[in-house]
Amino acid sequence: MSIAFYTILVTPLKTNTTYGTQVDISDFVIANNFKKIKQSIDSGSYDIGIYTYADLNLTLVNYDGRFNDETDSASMFYFTRDRAKVQVKYTNEAGSQTTIYDGLINDEATLQDFENDTVKIRVLSLDSIFRKVKVSGGLINDGSLFSDAIKALLNRPSITSILGYDATKISVGYDGSINDAVPFSEKDSREVLERLLNASGSVFYIDNSGDMVVKDRSVTTFSLVYTDLTDDLGVVLEDDQGDALQSATFSGELLELFGAGDPFQRDNITKIKNYNNGLQRTFNTVTVNEQTATDSTFVNRYGIGLKTYNFDFITNSATATAIAEYYVGQFKVPKPELEVFVKTDVANGINILDPVSIDYRKRHKSYKGNKIPLAGSSIAGSEKTPYIVGGIKITPNKTWKVIGIEYDTKTFLTALRLRQT
């Protein structure tokens, strides 16, 4: 059996929009500075995120000048070092390889150390190309739907030379109309995309096939169905209050995670931390362009949670009210969040908004000096029954969605940040 490892590959530009041959540079990467790869939506508490990000720092040995910029004949970057593609692949112990990161070199942040012959390269996620592409007047027009404006923004050669575009992967949560397109003119594409995502209640990410995805915040559709409410040992599954489940039907092929109390020793969870009940991301009163939507029932129950947006491309009060109502519907109820750590092999291929189930039971432990009695061999009153340990139980009848992924290249663990659906 081989060991798990990471491979770092670079593809330099040949022209402004075409790329050359991919080159393996793994042997030149200083491992001590290659640590974590992270992408996330909802990255901060008390906010609603819309945009995944995944930045990476690489320190490269440069004794032969191959990582100099294009002005040096020894450089591998014969057109420009800026916007060269960087790809990180993970190979597990069985030899199976998965791409876990794609990005672009941001030459503005590159630093060279002449004494140590090293180059520090800042790599930004592929969507960083949006910062370099301008939105010209006429690309987005008055009366355009949010979804059509996003499609026009994404489906341009300067962007599709980097990222895959499939119109079927572009949809939005709320599809309103743009009243005034002038505020979009001569802005960079990322700023315009963020405004449209916010107005439409949508998120943006890049899927495992390299395609751009815009969708609402719902969990990715899946098809597995659970109907058996007992496990293979005949133990009845319970809800969070300890009551027997009456029904539990899911639609989806999801990542199944198990804690140390699993009776079949399927445990693949290393640890769970940062569990919270979701109040920090609860918004039951939302104002858009001075039009406010609120849910008094949830304000009375949880206290007021305020969120305000101002969109200069929306002048219609009905549209502003509809956006506010959409957000209240999405965020008025607290949804628990947590971080779960698993081996990278377990999380292989996972993507933002993919579904996850967690079966994290409380564990049975015998009293010190006492064994768990076997049936028919104990005398009533002479033995102690095992006691239950564990501060919290998570039942598999709840579905969670991935809102953040962090690969630790040192420990070969992956942290999944999850939010309950």
mmCIF file of all heavy atoms in Angstrom, residues 70-91:
data_model
loop_
_atom_site.group_PDB
_atom_site.id
_atom_site.type_symbol
_atom_site.label_atom_id
_atom_site.label_comp_id
_atom_site.label_asym_id
_atom_site.label_seq_id
_atom_site.Cartn_x
_atom_site.Cartn_y
_atom_site.Cartn_z
ATOM 1 N N GLU A 70 7.947 36.497 -16.728
ATOM 2 C CA GLU A 70 8.153 36.267 -18.160
ATOM 3 C C GLU A 70 9.302 37.057 -18.770
ATOM 4 O O GLU A 70 9.726 36.791 -19.898
ATOM 5 C CB GLU A 70 6.863 36.576 -18.925
ATOM 6 C CG GLU A 70 6.433 38.036 -18.921
ATOM 7 C CD GLU A 70 5.672 38.460 -17.673
ATOM 8 O OE1 GLU A 70 5.550 37.634 -16.743
ATOM 9 O OE2 GLU A 70 5.207 39.617 -17.645
ATOM 10 N N THR A 71 9.849 38.027 -18.019
ATOM 11 C CA THR A 71 10.966 38.810 -18.558
ATOM 12 C C THR A 71 12.284 38.043 -18.523
ATOM 13 O O THR A 71 13.275 38.471 -19.117
ATOM 14 C CB THR A 71 11.120 40.124 -17.772
ATOM 15 O OG1 THR A 71 11.404 39.829 -16.396
ATOM 16 C CG2 THR A 71 9.851 40.962 -17.860
ATOM 17 N N ASP A 72 12.335 36.905 -17.817
ATOM 18 C CA ASP A 72 13.543 36.089 -17.720
ATOM 19 C C ASP A 72 13.404 34.886 -18.661
ATOM 20 O O ASP A 72 12.420 34.146 -18.598
ATOM 21 C CB ASP A 72 13.727 35.613 -16.275
ATOM 22 C CG ASP A 72 15.080 34.946 -16.031
ATOM 23 O OD1 ASP A 72 15.636 34.372 -16.981
ATOM 24 O OD2 ASP A 72 15.551 34.981 -14.885
ATOM 25 N N SER A 73 14.402 34.656 -19.508
ATOM 26 C CA SER A 73 14.340 33.558 -20.481
ATOM 27 C C SER A 73 14.329 32.187 -19.800
ATOM 28 O O SER A 73 13.931 31.187 -20.408
ATOM 29 C CB SER A 73 15.531 33.645 -21.451
ATOM 30 O OG SER A 73 16.755 33.561 -20.730
ATOM 31 N N ALA A 74 14.778 32.113 -18.542
ATOM 32 C CA ALA A 74 14.774 30.834 -17.815
ATOM 33 C C ALA A 74 13.398 30.492 -17.258
ATOM 34 O O ALA A 74 13.167 29.373 -16.788
ATOM 35 C CB ALA A 74 15.791 30.881 -16.671
ATOM 36 N N SER A 75 12.473 31.430 -17.298
ATOM 37 C CA SER A 75 11.167 31.236 -16.674
ATOM 38 C C SER A 75 10.303 30.270 -17.464
ATOM 39 O O SER A 75 10.336 30.215 -18.696
ATOM 40 C CB SER A 75 10.445 32.583 -16.560
ATOM 41 O OG SER A 75 9.125 32.412 -16.079
ATOM 42 N N MET A 76 9.483 29.509 -16.745
ATOM 43 C CA MET A 76 8.494 28.639 -17.376
ATOM 44 C C MET A 76 7.261 29.419 -17.818
ATOM 45 O O MET A 76 6.404 28.896 -18.538
ATOM 46 C CB MET A 76 8.072 27.524 -16.409
ATOM 47 C CG MET A 76 7.349 27.996 -15.167
ATOM 48 S SD MET A 76 6.807 26.622 -14.081
ATOM 49 C CE MET A 76 5.481 25.937 -15.059
ATOM 50 N N PHE A 77 7.176 30.674 -17.382
ATOM 51 C CA PHE A 77 6.019 31.518 -17.730
ATOM 52 C C PHE A 77 6.390 32.373 -18.935
ATOM 53 O O PHE A 77 6.865 33.499 -18.798
ATOM 54 C CB PHE A 77 5.619 32.389 -16.534
ATOM 55 C CG PHE A 77 5.334 31.595 -15.291
ATOM 56 C CD1 PHE A 77 6.246 31.557 -14.240
ATOM 57 C CD2 PHE A 77 4.163 30.871 -15.163
ATOM 58 C CE1 PHE A 77 5.996 30.825 -13.093
ATOM 59 C CE2 PHE A 77 3.900 30.135 -14.021
ATOM 60 C CZ PHE A 77 4.818 30.107 -12.974
ATOM 61 N N TYR A 78 6.184 31.853 -20.126
ATOM 62 C CA TYR A 78 6.673 32.531 -21.322
ATOM 63 C C TYR A 78 5.761 33.644 -21.807
ATOM 64 O O TYR A 78 6.156 34.457 -22.631
ATOM 65 C CB TYR A 78 6.907 31.518 -22.456
ATOM 66 C CG TYR A 78 5.946 30.367 -22.495
ATOM 67 C CD1 TYR A 78 4.734 30.456 -23.168
ATOM 68 C CD2 TYR A 78 6.247 29.183 -21.828
ATOM 69 C CE1 TYR A 78 3.845 29.391 -23.193
ATOM 70 C CE2 TYR A 78 5.368 28.109 -21.852
ATOM 71 C CZ TYR A 78 4.163 28.218 -22.539
ATOM 72 O OH TYR A 78 3.292 27.161 -22.562
ATOM 73 N N PHE A 79 4.508 33.713 -21.308
ATOM 74 C CA PHE A 79 3.635 34.827 -21.678
ATOM 75 C C PHE A 79 3.467 35.774 -20.498
ATOM 76 O O PHE A 79 3.793 36.947 -20.578
ATOM 77 C CB PHE A 79 2.273 34.307 -22.157
ATOM 78 C CG PHE A 79 1.336 35.399 -22.596
ATOM 79 C CD1 PHE A 79 1.527 36.046 -23.806
ATOM 80 C CD2 PHE A 79 0.265 35.788 -21.798
ATOM 81 C CE1 PHE A 79 0.669 37.069 -24.206
ATOM 82 C CE2 PHE A 79 -0.597 36.801 -22.190
ATOM 83 C CZ PHE A 79 -0.390 37.442 -23.403
ATOM 84 N N THR A 80 2.959 35.284 -19.392
ATOM 85 C CA THR A 80 2.867 36.039 -18.142
ATOM 86 C C THR A 80 2.711 35.053 -16.989
ATOM 87 O O THR A 80 2.120 33.987 -17.153
ATOM 88 C CB THR A 80 1.682 37.033 -18.136
ATOM 89 O OG1 THR A 80 1.626 37.691 -16.863
ATOM 90 C CG2 THR A 80 0.359 36.345 -18.393
ATOM 91 N N ARG A 81 3.283 35.393 -15.847
ATOM 92 C CA ARG A 81 3.108 34.561 -14.663
ATOM 93 C C ARG A 81 1.726 34.762 -14.063
ATOM 94 O O ARG A 81 1.153 33.845 -13.472
ATOM 95 C CB ARG A 81 4.208 34.900 -13.645
ATOM 96 C CG ARG A 81 4.251 33.998 -12.420
ATOM 97 C CD ARG A 81 5.532 34.230 -11.621
ATOM 98 N NE ARG A 81 5.714 35.629 -11.252
ATOM 99 C CZ ARG A 81 6.826 36.134 -10.729
ATOM 100 N NH1 ARG A 81 7.863 35.332 -10.493
ATOM 101 N NH2 ARG A 81 6.918 37.412 -10.429
ATOM 102 N N ASP A 82 1.190 35.950 -14.219
ATOM 103 C CA ASP A 82 -0.138 36.260 -13.709
ATOM 104 C C ASP A 82 -1.187 35.402 -14.418
ATOM 105 O O ASP A 82 -1.123 35.183 -15.627
ATOM 106 C CB ASP A 82 -0.453 37.742 -13.941
ATOM 107 C CG ASP A 82 -1.674 38.209 -13.181
ATOM 108 O OD1 ASP A 82 -1.738 37.946 -11.967
ATOM 109 O OD2 ASP A 82 -2.554 38.835 -13.797
ATOM 110 N N ARG A 83 -2.135 34.880 -13.661
ATOM 111 C CA ARG A 83 -3.253 34.070 -14.160
ATOM 112 C C ARG A 83 -2.856 32.681 -14.630
ATOM 113 O O ARG A 83 -3.672 31.967 -15.242
ATOM 114 C CB ARG A 83 -4.024 34.796 -15.270
ATOM 115 C CG ARG A 83 -4.804 36.013 -14.779
ATOM 116 C CD ARG A 83 -5.533 36.710 -15.897
ATOM 117 N NE ARG A 83 -4.610 37.384 -16.801
ATOM 118 C CZ ARG A 83 -4.612 37.263 -18.125
ATOM 119 N NH1 ARG A 83 -5.460 36.448 -18.717
ATOM 120 N NH2 ARG A 83 -3.757 37.932 -18.860
ATOM 121 N N ALA A 84 -1.618 32.249 -14.363
ATOM 122 C CA ALA A 84 -1.286 30.844 -14.611
ATOM 123 C C ALA A 84 -2.150 29.977 -13.700
ATOM 124 O O ALA A 84 -2.404 30.314 -12.546
ATOM 125 C CB ALA A 84 0.188 30.591 -14.352
ATOM 126 N N LYS A 85 -2.626 28.846 -14.213
ATOM 127 C CA LYS A 85 -3.481 27.960 -13.419
ATOM 128 C C LYS A 85 -2.650 27.109 -12.454
ATOM 129 O O LYS A 85 -1.578 26.623 -12.816
ATOM 130 C CB LYS A 85 -4.283 27.035 -14.330
ATOM 131 C CG LYS A 85 -5.356 27.732 -15.149
ATOM 132 C CD LYS A 85 -6.122 26.711 -15.979
ATOM 133 C CE LYS A 85 -7.217 27.376 -16.796
ATOM 134 N NZ LYS A 85 -7.961 26.386 -17.622
ATOM 135 N N VAL A 86 -3.171 26.952 -11.253
ATOM 136 C CA VAL A 86 -2.557 26.070 -10.248
ATOM 137 C C VAL A 86 -3.598 25.044 -9.822
ATOM 138 O O VAL A 86 -4.742 25.393 -9.509
ATOM 139 C CB VAL A 86 -2.060 26.864 -9.028
ATOM 140 C CG1 VAL A 86 -1.531 25.915 -7.955
ATOM 141 C CG2 VAL A 86 -0.980 27.858 -9.437
ATOM 142 N N GLN A 87 -3.195 23.794 -9.808
ATOM 143 C CA GLN A 87 -4.107 22.720 -9.421
ATOM 144 C C GLN A 87 -3.443 21.846 -8.360
ATOM 145 O O GLN A 87 -2.257 21.534 -8.463
ATOM 146 C CB GLN A 87 -4.466 21.877 -10.644
ATOM 147 C CG GLN A 87 -5.548 20.838 -10.397
ATOM 148 C CD GLN A 87 -5.965 20.148 -11.685
ATOM 149 O OE1 GLN A 87 -5.204 19.377 -12.266
ATOM 150 N NE2 GLN A 87 -7.182 20.435 -12.141
ATOM 151 N N VAL A 88 -4.211 21.497 -7.330
ATOM 152 C CA VAL A 88 -3.723 20.599 -6.286
ATOM 153 C C VAL A 88 -4.543 19.320 -6.347
ATOM 154 O O VAL A 88 -5.780 19.360 -6.306
ATOM 155 C CB VAL A 88 -3.834 21.237 -4.885
ATOM 156 C CG1 VAL A 88 -3.323 20.261 -3.825
ATOM 157 C CG2 VAL A 88 -3.045 22.540 -4.827
ATOM 158 N N LYS A 89 -3.849 18.184 -6.435
ATOM 159 C CA LYS A 89 -4.520 16.890 -6.461
ATOM 160 C C LYS A 89 -4.119 16.076 -5.232
ATOM 161 O O LYS A 89 -2.971 16.128 -4.795
ATOM 162 C CB LYS A 89 -4.170 16.125 -7.739
ATOM 163 C CG LYS A 89 -4.725 16.783 -9.001
ATOM 164 C CD LYS A 89 -4.518 15.907 -10.227
ATOM 165 C CE LYS A 89 -5.187 16.533 -11.446
ATOM 166 N NZ LYS A 89 -5.063 15.675 -12.646
ATOM 167 N N TYR A 90 -5.078 15.343 -4.710
ATOM 168 C CA TYR A 90 -4.847 14.475 -3.557
ATOM 169 C C TYR A 90 -4.902 13.023 -4.020
ATOM 170 O O TYR A 90 -5.853 12.604 -4.683
ATOM 171 C CB TYR A 90 -5.912 14.722 -2.484
ATOM 172 C CG TYR A 90 -5.912 13.695 -1.374
ATOM 173 C CD1 TYR A 90 -4.910 13.688 -0.415
ATOM 174 C CD2 TYR A 90 -6.906 12.724 -1.304
ATOM 175 C CE1 TYR A 90 -4.905 12.741 0.597
ATOM 176 C CE2 TYR A 90 -6.914 11.782 -0.294
ATOM 177 C CZ TYR A 90 -5.909 11.792 0.654
ATOM 178 O OH TYR A 90 -5.905 10.850 1.646
ATOM 179 N N THR A 91 -3.860 12.256 -3.684
ATOM 180 C CA THR A 91 -3.819 10.829 -3.983
ATOM 181 C C THR A 91 -3.874 10.061 -2.670
ATOM 182 O O THR A 91 -3.027 10.273 -1.791
ATOM 183 C CB THR A 91 -2.542 10.450 -4.752
ATOM 184 O OG1 THR A 91 -2.471 11.227 -5.956
ATOM 185 C CG2 THR A 91 -2.542 8.970 -5.112
#
